[in-house]
Amino acid sequence: MLLKMKELMLQTGESKSTILYYIKEGLLPEPSKPKPNVHLYDQNCVEIIKFIKYLQHNFSYTILEIKAIFTDSNLDVDGSFEMMIKSLELISGGKESQWYEREDFLELTSLSEETLERYQTKGYLFERAKGFSSKEIEIAKILQH
């Protein structure tokens, strides 16, 4: 689904100038321009902006530091939350994740079983053989905002 600027602003709470700045800095992809004065943004821009805001508010990262995370680690910003996991691993210095069983994960994140299933279907959260990592808890908190 493609979004107009106004829709992107409403879904992210960011101003037009901030979104344009993120594009200029290479944090967001250029919009498609099917007609003059019509710019359409991919839905994954919403998640990228939320991730940028998360890094700024929770880790006090600057745009320059966030840009370095995106470029230095060759992150794929195609809407996959695997990008977030890789970034959070970089931020934590590659520390080993703690693992949580499904019941504990649901309790810690306050997610319902249905919401968790929906997030998993969309590829936002990943349950591995060990269960859910502490990174998924961080991602679940981002999704809840």
Side-chain angles (χ1 to χ4, degrees):
M1 182 170 124
L2 297 176
L3 306 169
K4 293 181 179 178
M5 174 62 83
K6 186 173 185 174
E7 295 166 320
L8 185 58
M9 291 167 51
L10 285 171
Q11 289 189 30
T12 62
E14 287 294 353
S15 67
K16 181 178 180 178
S17 61
T18 298
I19 292 169
L20 293 174
Y21 176 71
Y22 290 164
I23 293 167
K24 178 180 159 260
E25 290 298 315
L27 296 173
L28 288 176
E30 288 284 337
S32 62
K33 300 172 185 173
K35 298 188 274 185
N37 296 325
V38 176
H39 297 176
L40 299 175
Y41 300 84
D42 194 275
Q43 181 67 38
N44 68 346
C45 289
V46 173
E47 301 306 328
I48 295 169
I49 291 170
K50 287 180 182 178
F51 187 54
I52 293 167
K53 288 169 68 170
Y54 176 81
L55 292 173
Q56 289 175 321
H57 295 281
N58 292 296
F59 296 100
S60 301
Y61 272 47
T62 66
I63 292 297
L64 188 61
E65 291 168 322
I66 294 169
K67 192 173 176 180
I69 289 171
F70 280 35
T71 55
D72 291 350
S73 43
N74 297 317
L75 295 175
D76 182 12
V77 291
D78 65 355
S80 165
F81 276 77
E82 199 64 37
M83 171 194 78
M84 287 189 180
I85 293 171
K86 290 177 186 174
S87 296
L88 289 169
E89 286 170 355
L90 283 172
I91 291 165
S92 66
K95 294 177 189 164
E96 191 65 32
S97 289
Q98 184 172 350
W99 295 92
Y100 301 91
E101 291 183 19
R102 190 177 192 90
E103 294 171 3
D104 296 330
F105 180 81
L106 289 169
E107 185 177 327
L108 288 167
T109 60
S110 303
L111 291 176
S112 68
E113 186 71 43
E114 295 79 25
T115 302
L116 175 58
E117 291 291 331
R118 191 173 67 243
Y119 287 165
Q120 287 181 297
T121 301
K122 291 183 177 186
Y124 296 167
L125 296 171
F126 307 97
E127 186 173 15
R128 295 168 184 86
K130 297 179 188 178
F132 293 94
S133 75
S134 54
K135 307 301 183 267
E136 272 82 28
I137 288 178
E138 293 293 325
I139 291 169
K141 289 177 182 177
I142 292 169
L143 292 170
Q144 288 174 314
H145 281 89

